[in-house]
PDB file of all heavy atoms in Angstrom:
ATOM      1  N   THR A  73     143.371 123.117  74.019  1.00  0.00           N
ATOM      2  CA  THR A  73     143.808 123.594  72.676  1.00  0.00           C
ATOM      3  C   THR A  73     143.293 122.498  71.679  1.00  0.00           C
ATOM      4  O   THR A  73     143.175 121.266  72.032  1.00  0.00           O
ATOM      5  CB  THR A  73     145.292 123.711  72.533  1.00  0.00           C
ATOM      6  OG1 THR A  73     145.929 122.479  72.809  1.00  0.00           O
ATOM      7  CG2 THR A  73     145.768 124.753  73.499  1.00  0.00           C
ATOM      8  N   GLY A  74     142.966 122.977  70.480  1.00  0.00           N
ATOM      9  CA  GLY A  74     142.431 121.997  69.506  1.00  0.00           C
ATOM     10  C   GLY A  74     142.149 122.577  68.206  1.00  0.00           C
ATOM     11  O   GLY A  74     142.551 123.864  67.985  1.00  0.00           O
ATOM     12  N   THR A  75     141.414 121.973  67.455  1.00  0.00           N
ATOM     13  CA  THR A  75     141.190 122.342  66.033  1.00  0.00           C
ATOM     14  C   THR A  75     139.608 122.591  65.910  1.00  0.00           C
ATOM     15  O   THR A  75     138.809 121.735  66.363  1.00  0.00           O
ATOM     16  CB  THR A  75     141.568 121.186  65.015  1.00  0.00           C
ATOM     17  OG1 THR A  75     142.846 120.787  65.425  1.00  0.00           O
ATOM     18  CG2 THR A  75     141.625 121.705  63.598  1.00  0.00           C
ATOM     19  N   VAL A  76     139.322 123.631  65.246  1.00  0.00           N
ATOM     20  CA  VAL A  76     137.838 123.931  65.108  1.00  0.00           C
ATOM     21  C   VAL A  76     137.369 123.228  63.730  1.00  0.00           C
ATOM     22  O   VAL A  76     137.874 123.472  62.633  1.00  0.00           O
ATOM     23  CB  VAL A  76     137.596 125.478  64.901  1.00  0.00           C
ATOM     24  CG1 VAL A  76     136.083 125.701  64.908  1.00  0.00           C
ATOM     25  CG2 VAL A  76     138.224 126.190  66.018  1.00  0.00           C
ATOM     26  N   ILE A  77     136.461 122.333  64.001  1.00  0.00           N
ATOM     27  CA  ILE A  77     135.877 121.625  62.864  1.00  0.00           C
ATOM     28  C   ILE A  77     134.337 121.771  62.845  1.00  0.00           C
ATOM     29  O   ILE A  77     133.723 122.030  63.795  1.00  0.00           O
ATOM     30  CB  ILE A  77     136.293 120.137  63.000  1.00  0.00           C
ATOM     31  CG1 ILE A  77     135.791 119.505  64.289  1.00  0.00           C
ATOM     32  CG2 ILE A  77     137.764 119.937  62.799  1.00  0.00           C
ATOM     33  CD1 ILE A  77     136.007 117.992  64.431  1.00  0.00           C
ATOM     34  N   PRO A  78     133.725 121.402  61.685  1.00  0.00           N
ATOM     35  CA  PRO A  78     132.265 121.376  61.532  1.00  0.00           C
ATOM     36  C   PRO A  78     131.765 120.368  62.548  1.00  0.00           C
ATOM     37  O   PRO A  78     132.274 119.295  62.673  1.00  0.00           O
ATOM     38  CB  PRO A  78     131.953 121.067  60.084  1.00  0.00           C
ATOM     39  CG  PRO A  78     133.332 121.298  59.366  1.00  0.00           C
ATOM     40  CD  PRO A  78     134.376 121.046  60.305  1.00  0.00           C
ATOM     41  N   SER A  79     130.524 120.664  63.032  1.00  0.00           N
ATOM     42  CA  SER A  79     129.860 119.659  63.970  1.00  0.00           C
ATOM     43  C   SER A  79     128.692 118.956  63.282  1.00  0.00           C
ATOM     44  O   SER A  79     128.002 119.541  62.513  1.00  0.00           O
ATOM     45  CB  SER A  79     129.386 120.458  65.192  1.00  0.00           C
ATOM     46  OG  SER A  79     128.750 119.539  66.095  1.00  0.00           O
ATOM     47  N   LEU A  80     128.652 117.792  63.638  1.00  0.00           N
ATOM     48  CA  LEU A  80     127.515 117.036  63.074  1.00  0.00           C
ATOM     49  C   LEU A  80     126.338 117.047  63.991  1.00  0.00           C
ATOM     50  O   LEU A  80     125.152 116.631  63.708  1.00  0.00           O
ATOM     51  CB  LEU A  80     127.861 115.472  62.840  1.00  0.00           C
ATOM     52  CG  LEU A  80     129.184 115.359  61.947  1.00  0.00           C
ATOM     53  CD1 LEU A  80     129.612 113.914  61.873  1.00  0.00           C
ATOM     54  CD2 LEU A  80     128.841 115.852  60.527  1.00  0.00           C
ATOM     55  N   GLY A  81     126.644 117.549  65.257  1.00  0.00           N
ATOM     56  CA  GLY A  81     125.578 117.640  66.233  1.00  0.00           C
ATOM     57  C   GLY A  81     124.455 118.618  65.883  1.00  0.00           C
ATOM     58  O   GLY A  81     124.785 119.561  65.073  1.00  0.00           O
ATOM     59  N   LYS A  82     123.354 118.499  66.441  1.00  0.00           N
ATOM     60  CA  LYS A  82     122.272 119.463  65.971  1.00  0.00           C
ATOM     61  C   LYS A  82     122.524 120.816  66.863  1.00  0.00           C
ATOM     62  O   LYS A  82     123.000 120.835  67.970  1.00  0.00           O
ATOM     63  CB  LYS A  82     120.867 118.939  66.269  1.00  0.00           C
ATOM     64  CG  LYS A  82     120.538 118.716  67.736  1.00  0.00           C
ATOM     65  CD  LYS A  82     119.071 118.176  67.770  1.00  0.00           C
ATOM     66  CE  LYS A  82     118.782 117.513  69.185  1.00  0.00           C
ATOM     67  NZ  LYS A  82     118.972 118.375  70.421  1.00  0.00           N
ATOM     68  N   GLY A  83     122.116 121.880  66.214  1.00  0.00           N
ATOM     69  CA  GLY A  83     122.093 123.211  66.964  1.00  0.00           C
ATOM     70  C   GLY A  83     123.483 123.765  67.112  1.00  0.00           C
ATOM     71  O   GLY A  83     123.664 124.770  67.864  1.00  0.00           O
ATOM     72  N   GLN A  84     124.518 123.228  66.459  1.00  0.00           N
ATOM     73  CA  GLN A  84     125.789 123.878  66.655  1.00  0.00           C
ATOM     74  C   GLN A  84     126.622 123.637  65.227  1.00  0.00           C
ATOM     75  O   GLN A  84     126.468 122.528  64.741  1.00  0.00           O
ATOM     76  CB  GLN A  84     126.635 123.220  67.748  1.00  0.00           C
ATOM     77  CG  GLN A  84     126.780 121.665  67.664  1.00  0.00           C
ATOM     78  CD  GLN A  84     127.005 121.033  68.960  1.00  0.00           C
ATOM     79  OE1 GLN A  84     126.696 121.537  69.985  1.00  0.00           O
ATOM     80  NE2 GLN A  84     127.592 119.854  68.921  1.00  0.00           N
ATOM     81  N   LYS A  85     127.189 124.671  64.730  1.00  0.00           N
ATOM     82  CA  LYS A  85     127.804 124.435  63.449  1.00  0.00           C
ATOM     83  C   LYS A  85     129.297 123.981  63.540  1.00  0.00           C
ATOM     84  O   LYS A  85     129.822 123.593  62.605  1.00  0.00           O
ATOM     85  CB  LYS A  85     127.721 125.713  62.618  1.00  0.00           C
ATOM     86  CG  LYS A  85     128.599 126.939  63.114  1.00  0.00           C
ATOM     87  CD  LYS A  85     128.484 128.147  62.104  1.00  0.00           C
ATOM     88  CE  LYS A  85     129.295 129.357  62.774  1.00  0.00           C
ATOM     89  NZ  LYS A  85     129.170 130.578  62.146  1.00  0.00           N
ATOM     90  N   LEU A  86     129.906 124.151  64.860  1.00  0.00           N
ATOM     91  CA  LEU A  86     131.288 123.803  64.966  1.00  0.00           C
ATOM     92  C   LEU A  86     131.472 123.167  66.287  1.00  0.00           C
ATOM     93  O   LEU A  86     130.673 123.297  67.217  1.00  0.00           O
ATOM     94  CB  LEU A  86     132.142 125.063  64.682  1.00  0.00           C
ATOM     95  CG  LEU A  86     132.000 126.268  65.654  1.00  0.00           C
ATOM     96  CD1 LEU A  86     132.671 126.129  66.930  1.00  0.00           C
ATOM     97  CD2 LEU A  86     132.532 127.470  64.920  1.00  0.00           C
TER      98      LEU A  86
END
Side-chain angles (χ1 to χ4, degrees):
Chain A
T73 58
T75 314
V76 185
I77 56 174
S79 176
L80 303 175
K82 68 176 162 59
Q84 59 203 22
K85 71 175 174 194
L86 59 81

